[in-house]
Amino acid sequence: MAAARVLLLLSGRPESVGFAQSVCGLLGAGPGPGPWPTHCGWKRGQLLLSDGPFPGASARLPLQRPPFCPFAALDQQPRPPGTELPTGRGVDLGVAVILQSSDQTVLLTRRTRTLRVSPNLWVPPGGHVELEELLDGGLRELREESGIQLPARQFSWVPLGLWESAYPPRLSWGLPKYHHIILYLLVISQESEQQLQARIQPNPSEVSAFMWLGADVAAAVAATEDGTETPRLLSQELPPSVLAMELADGAARPLALPMSTLLRTTPATAEDTERVSTGTKFALGLWLQHLGRQSGAHVDPGCAKEAQNTDP
């Protein structure tokens, strides 16, 4: 069996997490929406989490899961006869990069329809962490998916938060086949959106479109409630669409992406509806909080939920 990527500090010693176990639940997550402050440390492809401080901890970050997390549901109800989850597997580790330009926009990419996991979702560049440092893994994924390689000493970075991810994301879609803890890293480039845009060369096997979001649109997306089917009314101040670039026949062409697409929630039944992933909404909210702390500006809690006791 491959080495465990996600470990929890339980009973004073690190323990691997079984595939079917809820990481948030093991760390004491209650019935509320969260997030839950979590102490974490990392080294070469491994993440150690604890609900209390420990020697070697690198940060204290908000840990969150969606309200419809299948592992939380499996913890709370008897498993139907005949249902089987993978055995001999742990929880995988992923990293996603919120790339911020010098003019304070962030990059999102749309996953292709042909991918087995989370097709047609808008997400930041990211993927599995190998035996490497988390920042190195994030920069590698950024380069592989977008073609952007950031010059050394021309960017800064800070960990934003942790997300417990399952696919399929709801039990109504079927039993989960993938289980990850995603670490969102904010990477702040000294280059402008225009400079970064000039170097983008998306990998067409993984990316079908990309766009840059400013704070106003990101706030509307972050505020969209997942876990409810109640339609959301668009603010009159929001543009009807956002400019994106779509890949077609080996070239990128402009795409007017409807704002309503970005505000969609996760459907109850399995389908590859284009939308922003729930974890990405969480990360965008954390990015807005970071911008607010840097500028001293007030962040509307209706637009970016407060990450309690966060200390990256």
Side-chain angles (χ1 to χ4, degrees):
M1 185 174 66
R5 291 284 184 259
V6 176
L7 301 172
L8 302 190
L9 194 60
L10 303 172
S11 305
R13 59 189 179 87
E15 300 178 19
S16 60
V17 186
F19 179 90
Q21 295 177 288
S22 167
V23 174
C24 288
L26 290 171
L27 288 172
W36 299 275
T38 303
H39 297 263
C40 55
W42 48 78
K43 62 177 182 179
R44 295 196 60 79
Q46 281 192 321
L47 180 68
L48 179 60
L49 304 175
S50 174
D51 60 358
F54 61 90
S58 305
R60 187 169 180 245
L61 300 175
L63 170 66
Q64 181 68 291
R65 64 186 177 191
F68 44 80
C69 175
F71 298 107
L74 289 169
D75 277 353
Q76 298 166 6
Q77 64 188 39
R79 196 169 302 168
T83 59
E84 296 182 0
L85 289 170
T87 58
R89 279 175 58 185
V91 177
D92 290 317
L93 177 60
V95 63
V97 170
I98 303 294
L99 176 62
Q100 176 188 314
S101 66
S102 61
D103 34 2
Q104 297 187 341
T105 59
V106 292
L107 175 67
L108 293 186
T109 60
R110 188 179 66 193
R111 292 169 61 82
T112 65
R113 288 184 178 273
T114 56
L115 292 173
R116 289 184 302 170
V117 180
S118 303
N120 215 27
L121 287 191
W122 284 94
V123 296
H128 281 285
V129 172
E130 309 297 339
L131 289 176
E132 57 194 336
E133 297 298 335
L134 294 180
L135 176 63
D136 294 338
L139 295 178
R140 173 181 54 77
E141 290 289 342
L142 175 66
R143 182 178 66 252
E144 291 176 358
E145 293 185 16
S146 72
I148 294 177
Q149 183 164 356
L150 298 177
R153 296 181 295 278
Q154 292 189 24
F155 66 90
S156 59
W157 69 282
V158 61
L160 284 179
L162 302 159
W163 180 258
E164 184 164 17
S165 171
Y167 190 82
R170 291 178 179 266
L171 281 180
S172 57
W173 292 35
L175 287 174
K177 299 177 181 178
Y178 298 90
H179 190 180
H180 286 80
I181 292 293
I182 308 295
L183 173 64
Y184 287 101
L185 299 179
L186 173 61
V187 176
I188 305 171
S189 174
Q190 296 178 12
E191 297 178 276
S192 68
E193 175 187 325
Q194 184 177 10
Q195 291 172 307
L196 293 168
Q197 174 88 355
R199 300 212 310 279
I200 287 184
Q201 295 181 325
N203 179 352
S205 65
E206 297 187 50
V207 174
S208 61
F210 62 91
M211 65 178 168
W212 296 88
L213 286 187
D216 290 345
V217 173
V221 174
T224 307
E225 292 289 345
D226 260 329
T228 174
E229 308 314 317
T230 304
R232 179 181 176 85
L233 297 177
L234 295 182
S235 167
Q236 296 299 316
E237 298 179 358
L238 290 176
S241 62
V242 174
L243 177 63
M245 300 298 290
E246 186 172 44
L247 304 184
D249 301 323
R253 63 185 183 190
L255 168 69
L257 187 67
M259 182 62 65
S260 57
T261 299
L262 298 180
L263 302 183
R264 284 175 180 157
T265 58
T266 304
T269 55
E271 54 183 287
D272 59 355
T273 303
E274 182 180 3
R275 65 189 189 281
V276 179
S277 78
T278 316
T280 301
K281 296 174 184 178
F282 167 70
L284 290 174
L286 296 178
W287 171 59
L288 293 167
Q289 292 174 43
H290 180 83
L291 281 184
R293 288 193 297 268
Q294 295 299 105
S295 65
H298 172 69
V299 177
D300 184 350
C303 295
K305 293 182 179 179
E306 183 68 22
Q308 300 171 358
N309 300 318
T310 305
D311 184 20

